[in-house]
Amino acid sequence: MNTPLTPTDNNGIPSSETQPNKRRRKKSIVWEHFTIETIGVGNTRACCKQCKKYFAYITGSKLAGTSHLKRHIALGICPVSRQKNQMTPFTPSSKTGAIDAPKRRPRANSGYAKISFDQERCNHEIAKMIIMHEYPLHIVEQQGFISFVRTLQPQFNMVSLKAVQDDCVAIYHREKQNLLNHISGIPGRVSLTVDLWTSNQNLGYVFLRGHFIDGDWNSYRQILNVVMVPSTDSGDTFSQAILTCLSDWHLEGRLFTITLDQSLSNETIIGNLKGLLSVKNPHMLSSQLLIRNCYARVLSRLAQDALRALSGTIMKVRESVKYVKTSESREEKFVQLKQQLQVPSSKNISVDNLTKWDTTYHMLVAACELREVFACLDTYDPDYNINISLEEWKQVETLWTYLMYFFDAANILTAPTYPSANAFFPKVSEIQKALMHAAMSDDPFVSYLIRPLYEKFDKYWENCCLVLAIAVIMDPRFKMKHVESTFSEIYGENAETWIRIVDGGIHDLFLEYMMQMLTLPEIPIEEGNDGIMKTELPEIPSQEILLSSADGLQDFDFFMPDITGGQQMKSELDQYLEEEEFLLVDGVEDFDVLGWWRLNRHKYPTLSRMASDILSIPVSTVAPDAVFDTEIKRMDSYRTSLGTATLEALICAKDWIQYGPLPQPPALQESNAAVKMEF
């Protein structure tokens, strides 16, 4: 039995290595509650008299000290002493040598302790939290949230429902003013997308999103308005929503294109919007830049049509995947069989989500790669009795091969940065060519599956190919060459007609920009003897502009005075198109087309202005998280219960603040610096 004694060496002399400091031991009150016991050579421990628990004290030449022993006594950690209530509490006393409970050392990063409580800032942060995470406004009245906040900060007075609503609306107005300042400072135009949400109350909610490129060649896509409409069948309804947006954001005369969801593409709505576009944007190709169908929704509907054509076989695949994934033991057997058969696939099967068609695509791809395992699963697991024939597997493989075109084309919309318009012509033309060839296939199943898809997609191609072709011409890697080769594959002998349409369209568009840049209405125009309208430009005295008296566009030319024998000077557009195509350096995958135009904006001042508007044309109306949706978005019952102004404020403010503050013009930055922001 160990007895409390002082450690000694072999000669019975107290060891200098392990001898405790007697002066410390006499001064500390802890030794009224602990004894010192030798556990082994060079190892002395302190033992609590109450609970008999050992604590480190001396190990070799290291002295552990007594702070941990003080905590054991002072904080009531000792279980026996706590139960008996026999522990004498420590109180400060200089006479008895008693000490206080040990104080915790302040952390190195103690700056937060110096921050005073700010009720207004807390109110603002709660409102911001509600906006960002779409919490209901009445969360401030829920007892669980109130208790949580008061635990964090007892001084906080919980804000009322009316007050937090006012705070959210105040954030909306502040962010709206910032965005309005930013849009007012951009040199180009703004394109709109019009998307429709529904609700259980049969009300419609029109989402209007603005797309533009600012003076620093940064691309933006921001929700501008959310307008509640009582009827989704009236063409005037959507025209009025667009007019409201144009007025709200001072965009009269600055509208470039409109892109619609397919559900809005009835002839009445299209007719009204074409009239609106021709009035609000009278020069831009006579409203030909109206895109009638949303790119993502077109791909989604085609994918769903293809899946429905093979719904019976897909159901078998889905049930097979469910059978494996709903039991751990079955999944283990499946993996073991896969290993035995040495199937090289690295994909994992998963049950699809019927509201997202890409999950069905991934399920089919993985199942096809593992079809050998499914084919043998009944011999390894007698309970599995789903029979998928070899022919059915071949049909599934054909199906996902064409779904892959839709998936790859839609997937570019899920990137953190919205792609510029030049990215879509290669994707859309690739689908057009693949479906066209498959529709004429000798394989009866391929023809049966793809022909209906091709007929629908061909209508989309005819509607948008002009806009997308003009956009890809603004990519210096491609210019007209890509359009010419693509049209030759698609249209064959008729390709030249379509190429001329695109070439004429982009030249007409450039001439309109030239007219705007030169501010022709302010310049006196004289009629020559030959009936041609001529004018001298004070800013460019060496050039003249010839305008045809017929339509003012077709015979638009530049020429220098007869210094070089009357040789005609080429426009910026012709110079750009005739220059050798831009070649990427090997190994560079991502090309920054906006960065290229930013660097070349002084070389092509007018064309770069046109390029910024064209490259910001949106082809899709949906948000990145809804690209693969199979259903139209629905407003939930809570949000429909809100007032229209509050609803718009919550949705728009979330969209604006999630991307951080917008850059402000220098004049505004200086004025804001002297003003304290009040929430």
Side-chain angles (χ1 to χ4, degrees):
M1 177 178 178
N2 294 328
T3 57
L5 47 80
T6 302
T8 61
D9 59 15
N10 295 334
N11 298 320
I13 301 174
S15 170
S16 61
E17 292 182 350
T18 60
Q19 183 179 13
N21 189 314
K22 294 182 180 180
R23 187 168 50 187
R24 287 186 183 175
R25 188 174 55 190
K26 289 181 180 180
K27 282 189 175 182
S28 179
I29 197 173
V30 299
W31 300 116
E32 296 179 7
H33 302 274
F34 288 89
T35 60
I36 299 175
E37 300 187 14
T38 302
I39 303 301
V41 178
N43 187 2
T44 302
R45 298 205 172 202
C47 178
C48 177
K49 294 180 180 180
Q50 298 293 334
C51 64
K52 304 301 180 183
K53 185 176 180 180
Y54 286 95
F55 297 85
Y57 183 46
I58 298 175
T59 304
S61 61
K62 296 181 179 179
L63 183 65
T66 59
S67 296
H68 60 302
L69 306 181
K70 295 173 186 176
R71 289 194 293 271
H72 184 70
I73 301 169
L75 300 181
I77 298 175
C78 177
V80 177
S81 179
R82 187 167 61 245
Q83 291 175 4
K84 294 182 178 181
N85 197 24
Q86 293 178 349
M87 182 176 292
T88 303
F90 289 126
T91 55
S93 175
S94 58
K95 295 180 180 179
T96 61
I99 61 173
D100 284 329
K103 298 181 179 179
R104 293 186 179 182
R105 295 181 180 178
R107 294 182 179 178
N109 185 14
S110 58
Y112 292 108
K114 300 178 182 179
I115 299 177
S116 60
F117 172 68
D118 188 335
Q119 177 75 37
E120 290 187 6
R121 181 178 179 182
C122 292
N123 293 348
H124 171 74
E125 290 300 324
I126 285 181
K128 188 176 177 182
M129 175 195 73
I130 288 173
I131 291 171
M132 291 179 64
H133 303 290
E134 300 183 9
Y135 296 139
L137 292 170
H138 58 259
I139 190 176
V140 297
E141 296 179 338
Q142 295 176 355
Q143 189 56 48
F145 182 71
I146 295 173
S147 300
F148 170 71
V149 172
R150 286 180 176 168
T151 301
L152 295 178
Q153 176 51 263
Q155 298 181 54
F156 181 72
N157 294 319
M158 181 55 67
V159 62
S160 68
L161 174 62
K162 177 65 168 60
V164 77
Q165 179 176 337
D166 291 343
D167 289 341
C168 290
V169 173
I171 292 175
Y172 160 75
H173 284 298
R174 184 194 67 187
E175 296 296 331
K176 181 176 182 179
Q177 187 61 52
N178 290 339
L179 181 57
L180 184 59
N181 294 339
H182 190 62
I183 292 177
S184 299
I186 66 173
R189 294 173 175 263
V190 176
S191 293
L192 291 180
T193 58
V194 183
D195 194 28
L196 178 66
W197 288 31
T198 60
S199 69
N200 293 332
Q201 291 78 15
N202 294 323
L203 297 173
Y205 293 86
V206 180
F207 282 64
L208 295 124
R209 191 182 293 269
H211 298 247
F212 59 91
I213 292 174
D214 68 6
D216 294 325
W217 288 87
N218 298 310
S219 178
Y220 294 89
R221 56 187 306 267
Q222 306 278 354
I223 295 178
L224 301 181
N225 292 93
V226 179
V227 182
M228 190 271 287
V229 294
S231 172
T232 60
D233 299 326
S234 171
D236 294 334
T237 296
F238 299 99
S239 297
Q240 189 59 46
I242 293 174
L243 288 173
T244 299
C245 178
L246 298 180
S247 174
D248 253 10
W249 296 92
H250 306 163
L251 294 177
E252 292 88 349
R254 302 183 67 192
L255 178 63
F256 189 52
T257 66
I258 299 177
T259 304
L260 303 176
D261 171 30
Q262 187 172 348
S263 61
L264 305 178
S265 296
N266 67 54
E267 293 307 317
T268 302
I269 295 175
I270 292 297
N272 287 345
L273 291 182
K274 277 189 173 183
L276 172 66
L277 192 58
S278 63
V279 172
K280 296 298 180 181
N281 188 5
H283 303 297
M284 296 303 164
L285 295 183
S286 302
S287 76
Q288 292 182 62
L289 299 183
L290 175 68
I291 302 177
R292 301 177 59 165
N293 294 313
C294 166
Y295 174 84
R297 293 271 170 78
V298 168
L299 297 176
S300 179
R301 290 185 176 96
L302 291 174
Q304 292 178 75
D305 288 347
L307 292 170
R308 275 193 293 268
L310 213 60
S311 59
T313 304
I314 294 174
M315 180 61 70
K316 288 184 179 181
V317 175
R318 183 179 294 115
E319 292 302 318
S320 297
V321 173
K322 282 183 181 179
Y323 178 85
V324 173
K325 297 297 291 184
T326 53
S327 169
E328 291 185 4
S329 60
R330 294 172 188 167
E331 191 167 5
E332 289 176 2
K333 291 179 180 179
F334 188 84
V335 173
Q336 291 171 2
L337 181 58
K338 173 188 172 183
Q339 294 172 349
Q340 290 181 13
L341 296 173
Q342 298 182 347
V343 176
S345 174
S346 60
K347 295 187 180 298
N348 295 318
I349 55 173
S350 59
V351 182
D352 60 336
N353 176 1
L354 296 181
T355 65
K356 298 280 188 179
W357 68 263
D358 63 314
T359 63
T360 307
Y361 163 74
H362 289 304
M363 180 186 72
L364 297 179
V365 173
C368 271
E369 290 194 9
L370 296 166
R371 58 186 171 187
E372 185 179 353
V373 185
F374 281 109
C376 300
L377 187 58
D378 58 345
T379 61
Y380 200 74
D381 184 353
D383 293 331
Y384 176 74
N385 56 8
I386 302 174
N387 180 30
I388 304 177
S389 67
L390 180 61
E391 182 63 25
E392 287 175 320
W393 280 119
K394 289 176 62 178
Q395 292 178 354
V396 170
E397 185 173 16
T398 300
L399 172 63
W400 75 252
T401 299
Y402 287 96
L403 284 178
M404 180 175 62
Y405 287 102
F406 304 148
F407 173 78
D408 290 342
N411 200 44
I412 64 174
L413 293 172
T414 62
T417 303
Y418 189 83
S420 50
N422 61 298
F424 294 98
F425 184 83
K427 293 292 184 182
V428 174
S429 60
E430 182 182 20
I431 295 175
Q432 176 74 0
K433 289 184 288 186
L435 296 183
M436 181 179 67
H437 293 310
M440 297 182 292
S441 173
D442 295 332
D443 187 323
F445 174 74
V446 173
S447 177
Y448 157 78
L449 178 68
I450 302 302
R451 187 180 296 277
L453 306 182
Y454 169 66
E455 292 173 355
K456 293 181 179 180
F457 192 79
D458 188 54
K459 294 179 181 178
Y460 174 72
W461 167 258
E462 289 183 4
N463 171 246
C464 70
C465 68
L466 173 62
V467 176
L468 299 184
I470 289 176
V472 82
I473 293 172
M474 294 294 99
D475 190 326
R477 297 170 296 175
F478 302 125
K479 301 183 180 178
M480 280 295 296
K481 296 294 184 184
H482 190 35
V483 175
E484 291 168 356
S485 62
T486 299
F487 281 4
S488 296
E489 292 183 60
I490 294 176
Y491 296 113
E493 296 178 354
N494 298 323
E496 190 60 34
T497 301
W498 287 90
I499 293 171
R500 282 200 303 268
I501 291 174
V502 173
D503 185 70
I506 195 169
H507 277 83
D508 286 349
L509 196 58
F510 176 73
L511 296 180
E512 292 179 4
Y513 272 85
M514 282 298 303
M515 294 176 68
Q516 294 170 22
M517 297 286 285
L518 294 173
T519 60
L520 291 178
E522 300 176 2
I523 301 172
I525 300 177
E526 298 179 358
E527 183 176 351
N529 295 330
D530 54 359
I532 302 294
M533 307 299 292
K534 298 181 180 180
T535 181
E536 293 285 334
L537 299 180
E539 299 87 348
I540 315 175
S542 61
Q543 295 185 5
E544 293 181 1
I545 296 180
L546 302 183
L547 292 178
S548 168
S549 58
D551 57 12
L553 291 177
Q554 300 302 322
D555 298 320
F556 194 98
D557 268 323
F558 290 94
F559 65 89
M560 297 286 291
D562 197 10
I563 299 175
T564 59
Q567 184 177 4
Q568 186 174 351
M569 187 181 77
K570 294 178 181 177
S571 69
E572 290 177 26
L573 176 60
D574 291 328
Q575 291 179 40
Y576 168 78
L577 293 176
E578 293 177 13
E579 283 182 351
E580 186 175 351
E581 283 75 13
F582 180 81
L583 298 177
L584 281 177
V585 179
D586 291 341
V588 178
E589 295 182 359
D590 297 327
F591 172 66
D592 183 5
V593 66
L594 300 185
W596 188 91
W597 279 104
R598 182 175 63 250
L599 294 175
N600 289 273
R601 65 186 184 278
H602 299 301
K603 182 178 180 181
Y604 304 111
T606 303
L607 188 61
S608 64
R609 177 71 60 84
M610 185 175 96
S612 70
D613 291 343
I614 291 174
L615 293 174
S616 65
I617 293 176
V619 301
S620 178
T621 66
V622 301
D625 62 347
V627 169
F628 297 104
D629 283 1
T630 58
E631 301 173 353
I632 294 179
K633 286 285 190 180
R634 299 182 70 87
M635 198 72 72
D636 60 59
S637 56
Y638 165 71
R639 287 196 162 191
T640 56
S641 68
L642 299 173
T644 53
T646 302
L647 176 64
E648 182 179 46
L650 293 173
I651 293 175
C652 291
K654 178 188 176 183
D655 185 71
W656 300 338
I657 65 179
Q658 65 183 341
Y659 298 111
L662 291 166
Q664 296 295 308
L668 286 174
Q669 293 178 8
E670 294 175 3
S671 62
N672 290 340
V675 180
K676 180 181 178 182
M677 177 62 69
E678 296 182 1
F679 301 123

